[in-house]
Amino acid sequence: MASTSAGNAAPVVEPHSSVLSWDRARATARDAGEALPAETRPLDGALSQTALSHALAAPLIARTDLPSFDTSAMDGWAVSGPGPWRLTGGEVLAGDTPSPLAAGEAVGIATGAPLPPGATSVLRHEHGRVDGERLADLVGGRSDGQDVRPRGRECSQGEVLLPAGTTVTPAVLGMAAAAGYDRLEVHRRPSAELLVLGDELLSSGPPRDGRVRDALSPMLVPWLQGCADVVGCRRLPDELDALREAISASTADVVITTGSTAAGPVDHLHTALAELGARLLVDSVAVRPGHPMLLAELPSGGRLVGLPGNPLAAVAGVVTLAMPLLDRLGGRAEAENRTARAGDLLPHPGSTRLVPVLVRDGVAQPLPFGGPAMLRGLALADGLAALPPSEGPLPEGGVEVLPLPWSRG
């Protein structure tokens, strides 16, 4: 909500609240929107590459038993009763409709082939010996159902395989196909536009003449593409008019800005939001690095996430405000982050501290070069450890570790 002071002074945004705790800021971001409408997409091609982060808008329910018939788990022979057996000749392959077996009979069978009616188990090739038309068991101790995948072992028809909100991955597509689906009902992915602010930014070459490279565009665009359709990435000068017009003209569900969140001489974001009539939901968070981040509701109905300009501080803003909001808009279930023992990590007494860490054998160890303007530690990290505010030791049960899109820990 905007207010105007006397004279020609620029309007200012009324703060929504005081500095929020990190946990409350994340919850506020997730509650700042509703899941976008559902749409139906075909499995083949529609959910590939940039669309892998769609979320299921409805539970995935098995349309058949899986397997839908008893199948052989091994190459060998389908046998009926105890051995030895008489071979009937031929072999049952996947896709065949086999003839029944009588007691004491056996027939060759391939992995995945349907079990003939009357068969009681499968004898593996390495466990059998053929002598003419006779098949003997070299191992013995055979039980009914041995090396058979029984019908419905994985699921029964009507069973919920995956809940709504599950992120659609290649494995989910395979599960859906196996369960009989040709199309999936998923939430529309949110759209996002990135506005990178700063007269000092270079788009190529090494830093020079007091200017620095834009490190955020190359990092944030592919990061955001994992959960949103990035409809634009623009560099803007440190000018109020340019910033206000860019925000006003954006049609994205979420506008994400970098820099201009503090109160410096060229930090125009608060003023631009005030002039547009935006309402602040988050205005600064008790987190290090990245505390001058913000979240605003735009008059258009969209949202704006303001990230600090320093690289690691901007990443803190992404995991605190941008990702929870985009996950909610995309209908994704809230992720469960892993925990790790704290190792040599040290907390901050007044704020949550986000630290790039390596996780080895359940222990999170801090990486060097973890300052707000640094990315070297982040480039090697398995995740960001979220250290709760504390003047004493960290919890014995471990600390939360937020995954990074590229982490392999």
Side-chain angles (χ1 to χ4, degrees):
M1 181 180 295
S3 64
T4 305
S5 57
N8 296 323
V12 295
V13 178
E14 295 177 359
H16 176 263
S17 67
S18 59
V19 177
L20 296 185
S21 70
W22 183 67
D23 288 330
R24 186 177 171 194
R26 282 205 298 174
T28 299
R30 189 161 180 90
D31 292 342
E34 297 294 334
L36 295 172
E39 56 190 13
T40 302
R41 290 177 169 263
L43 296 187
D44 186 14
L47 301 179
S48 62
Q49 293 185 331
T50 60
L52 283 178
S53 64
H54 277 284
L56 295 177
L60 190 72
I61 298 174
R63 293 180 170 178
T64 181
D65 297 339
L66 287 180
S68 54
F69 45 82
D70 294 343
T71 63
S72 175
M74 293 289 172
D75 292 331
W77 298 269
V79 300
S80 180
W85 303 273
R86 181 181 66 82
L87 290 170
T88 62
E91 187 171 22
V92 183
L93 304 177
D96 287 349
T97 302
S99 300
L101 288 180
E105 291 184 333
V107 65
I109 195 167
T111 301
L115 205 67
T120 54
S121 65
V122 170
L123 179 67
R124 304 183 186 193
H125 264 307
E126 60 268 29
H127 293 170
R129 183 180 63 199
V130 175
D131 183 8
E133 293 184 353
R134 305 292 291 176
L135 172 65
D137 185 350
L138 299 178
V139 178
R142 175 151 300 278
S143 60
D144 287 352
Q146 188 167 333
D147 290 324
V148 172
R149 296 187 185 121
R151 176 174 180 160
R153 181 176 186 178
E154 184 171 3
C155 65
S156 300
Q157 183 177 357
E159 185 177 342
V160 176
L161 302 174
L162 298 169
T166 300
T167 299
V168 177
T169 65
V172 171
L173 294 180
M175 180 78 261
Y181 284 80
D182 299 316
R183 303 174 70 84
L184 283 179
E185 187 178 358
V186 297
H187 288 287
R188 177 173 74 78
R189 281 161 52 94
S191 58
E193 183 172 11
L194 181 63
L195 304 178
V196 181
L197 315 179
D199 293 331
E200 77 282 10
L201 299 178
L202 297 168
S203 57
S204 63
R208 58 193 181 273
D209 303 325
R211 303 177 70 191
V212 298
R213 275 293 298 273
D214 169 19
L216 292 179
S217 298
M219 176 174 62
L220 295 184
V221 168
W223 189 335
L224 295 171
Q225 284 174 335
C227 58
D229 292 330
V230 179
V231 296
C233 175
R234 288 192 282 162
R235 289 257 310 277
L236 296 178
D238 288 317
E239 297 174 1
L240 173 59
D241 289 347
L243 177 57
R244 182 184 60 246
E245 291 169 9
I247 295 171
S248 178
S250 180
T251 59
D253 296 311
V254 180
V255 178
I256 298 174
T257 62
T258 69
S260 197
T261 56
V266 292
D267 290 337
H268 301 302
L269 184 55
H270 282 85
T271 301
L273 292 174
E275 292 182 356
L276 291 170
R279 183 171 72 96
L280 280 179
L281 305 176
V282 175
D283 189 13
S284 196
V285 178
V287 63
R288 296 290 187 275
H291 70 280
M293 61 182 73
L294 63 84
L295 171 65
E297 179 182 322
L298 300 175
S300 63
R303 303 291 185 268
L304 182 141
V305 175
L307 308 177
N310 278 328
L312 190 58
V315 168
V318 170
V319 299
T320 303
L321 298 179
M323 297 310 298
L325 173 60
L326 291 170
D327 282 346
R328 169 56 66 87
L329 294 177
R332 282 180 293 279
E334 190 168 0
E336 293 185 9
N337 297 315
R338 60 176 171 167
T339 59
R341 298 193 302 279
D344 298 327
L345 295 166
L346 297 175
H348 186 281
S351 302
T352 296
R353 187 167 173 239
L354 299 180
V355 183
V357 294
L358 285 176
V359 181
R360 297 293 182 267
D361 299 322
V363 179
Q365 292 289 4
L367 285 156
F369 309 105
M374 298 181 180
L375 286 176
R376 186 172 173 182
L378 189 71
L380 298 171
D382 294 327
L384 290 174
L387 312 184
S390 176
E391 295 185 0
L394 290 166
E396 293 185 3
V399 295
E400 186 177 8
V401 178
L402 283 65
L404 299 168
W406 55 86
S407 62
R408 299 184 300 273

